Amino acid sequence: MSALDSLIEMGFPKNRAEKALAITGNQGVPPAMEWLFAHMEDPDIDEPYTAPQGHRLTDAPASSTGASSSGNGTSTAGNGDSSATADAETLPEGVAASLKCDECGKQLRDTVAAQAHAERTGHSQFSESVEAIKPLTEEEKAAQKERLLKVMSEKRQMREEQEKKEAVEREKMRRKSGKEVVDAKEKYAQQMRMREAEVRRREQAEAKKAKDEILAKVAADKAARAAAKAKAAAPPATAAQPAAASSAVSAPPVKKQYTECRIRFRLPDGSAVIQTFAASDTFSTVFKFVQGKYDGQFQLKTAQPPKTFGSYDVSESLQSLGLVPSATLMVMKL
């Protein structure tokens, strides 16, 4: 059985077995297996092999036998283990037939096998040896095959474990990303709640201010009516009373007549608009003004005293509706 058939029988793909034999100089099964073990994970393991130009350690000087062989176009190196043994037997005495690792004592067929051994073990001390490496027996081949299957199984198991670890890391990253999205949504919702609370506080403050203005206006009107009533009930002054006494009586306050009406509008989006109207304008003027500022169905009302204006108020003047000199109207969305 040739070295190629032995490698294929051990489970190596044919293209890899051919490449390993070519790179190791067709020195038999052991060097080829050493190379395959060292380069099993190479990305270019299945690419075609291009033979380099150079001298091999096991190349022997030209002899008469070699010359006659080259003359008929054949090579002394074979593909089988028997040819490797023949090469070792035809080497002149004193010529290096193999390499030896000085650190572990392992015999290596050539520099390629030594390089593979160094990559696999990290050893770096080698020396030449005249001892030829014998071909593998059937038991050794079976052991090498079992070793290969074990190595391949271990590598496959390591790859599967690595894939599992990567899958776990990806899942962790996915969960972390999802948590960040949830946190961002919660933060945005909290900001919106705070903004809405601020709008409500501002509306309450404005409503309280409007209420205070209305109460102040009611108190002033009440005081004015009380003064007018007191004046009407007072007896007329007599001629006997001195002029100083009549001048001492204070004149009742005169109610101020307003000609303008200042109205503050509170729109549904929280913004405010202030506009001045004539006191004699009808409520329809106010209604048309709001239509120009807000596109949609709405209703006008006051907070204090609570009142909702309807279609029956459009012909009333702002003076008669109690909106003079100033008032706050809330535009309510329908």
Side-chain angles (χ1 to χ4, degrees):
M1 180 182 295
S2 65
L4 177 61
D5 294 336
S6 298
L7 291 173
I8 294 174
E9 183 182 358
M10 292 179 184
F12 291 103
K14 182 179 179 181
N15 61 329
R16 294 190 182 186
E18 292 175 344
K19 186 174 184 178
L21 289 170
I23 291 178
T24 57
N26 292 314
Q27 298 300 309
V29 174
M33 290 186 64
E34 292 284 349
W35 186 89
L36 286 169
F37 285 139
H39 299 273
M40 187 176 296
E41 300 297 331
D42 290 356
D44 59 346
I45 184 66
D46 294 316
E47 293 183 4
Y49 170 70
T50 302
Q53 300 296 327
H55 175 71
R56 295 201 313 273
L57 176 64
T58 55
D59 286 343
S63 63
S64 59
T65 305
S68 62
S69 299
S70 60
N72 56 20
T74 61
S75 173
T76 58
N79 290 335
D81 297 338
S82 60
S83 62
T85 306
D87 289 343
E89 292 175 353
T90 57
L91 287 175
E93 183 178 358
V95 176
S98 62
L99 292 174
K100 181 179 181 181
C101 177
D102 296 336
E103 299 182 33
C104 65
K106 183 177 180 62
Q107 291 291 127
L108 305 166
R109 189 172 298 276
D110 54 15
T111 54
V112 176
Q115 182 179 4
H117 179 75
E119 292 178 356
R120 189 175 66 259
T121 63
H123 297 169
S124 59
Q125 301 297 326
F126 299 92
S127 60
E128 294 183 346
S129 175
V130 295
E131 181 181 354
I133 300 177
K134 296 180 180 181
L136 294 177
T137 64
E138 293 299 327
E139 293 79 6
E140 290 174 336
K141 289 181 181 179
Q144 290 282 21
K145 180 179 180 180
E146 183 178 355
R147 177 189 171 194
L148 169 65
L149 295 176
K150 182 179 179 181
V151 171
M152 294 175 66
S153 176
E154 292 175 352
K155 288 184 177 292
R156 181 171 58 253
Q157 184 177 0
M158 291 175 59
R159 183 171 60 254
E160 291 175 354
E161 292 177 355
Q162 181 64 25
E163 291 175 353
K164 289 180 180 178
K165 291 180 180 179
E166 293 176 355
V168 170
E169 291 298 326
R170 287 195 297 270
E171 179 64 17
K172 289 181 179 179
M173 292 297 295
R174 185 189 68 79
R175 293 183 180 181
K176 181 180 179 182
S177 177
K179 185 177 182 300
E180 291 176 352
V181 171
V182 172
D183 292 342
K185 290 182 178 179
E186 178 62 25
K187 184 177 180 180
Y188 175 76
Q190 184 178 3
Q191 291 176 350
M192 293 302 297
R193 289 193 296 268
M194 293 175 61
R195 187 177 301 174
E196 292 173 358
E198 179 63 25
V199 171
R200 287 195 297 270
R201 284 195 296 269
R202 188 164 56 248
E203 291 177 348
Q204 291 173 359
E206 293 178 354
K208 185 177 182 301
K209 181 179 179 181
K211 179 181 178 180
D212 294 341
E213 292 177 352
I214 293 172
L215 292 176
K217 178 182 176 182
V218 170
D221 292 343
K222 186 183 294 185
R225 287 195 299 269
K229 184 177 180 180
K231 181 180 179 182
T238 59
Q241 292 176 334
S246 63
S247 62
V249 179
S250 59
V254 179
K255 185 176 181 180
K256 184 177 181 180
Q257 296 295 324
Y258 296 97
T259 59
E260 293 183 346
C261 177
R262 183 174 179 269
I263 299 180
R264 178 186 180 89
F265 297 93
R266 184 66 179 176
L267 300 179
D269 60 0
S271 61
V273 179
I274 299 175
Q275 181 66 20
T276 302
F277 302 90
S280 59
D281 285 345
T282 61
F283 193 74
S284 61
T285 305
V286 176
F287 193 82
K288 292 178 181 178
F289 173 79
V290 176
Q291 284 180 327
K293 296 294 183 180
Y294 178 73
D295 186 12
Q297 298 294 326
F298 62 89
Q299 190 178 53
L300 298 176
K301 65 184 300 184
T302 57
Q304 293 294 334
K307 179 180 179 180
T308 301
F309 296 92
S311 59
Y312 48 82
D313 295 314
V314 295
S315 61
E316 297 291 334
S317 66
L318 302 182
Q319 181 76 41
S320 63
L321 292 175
L323 301 177
V324 178
S326 64
T328 298
L329 294 179
M330 292 183 292
V331 182
M332 308 301 294
K333 181 180 178 181
L334 295 178

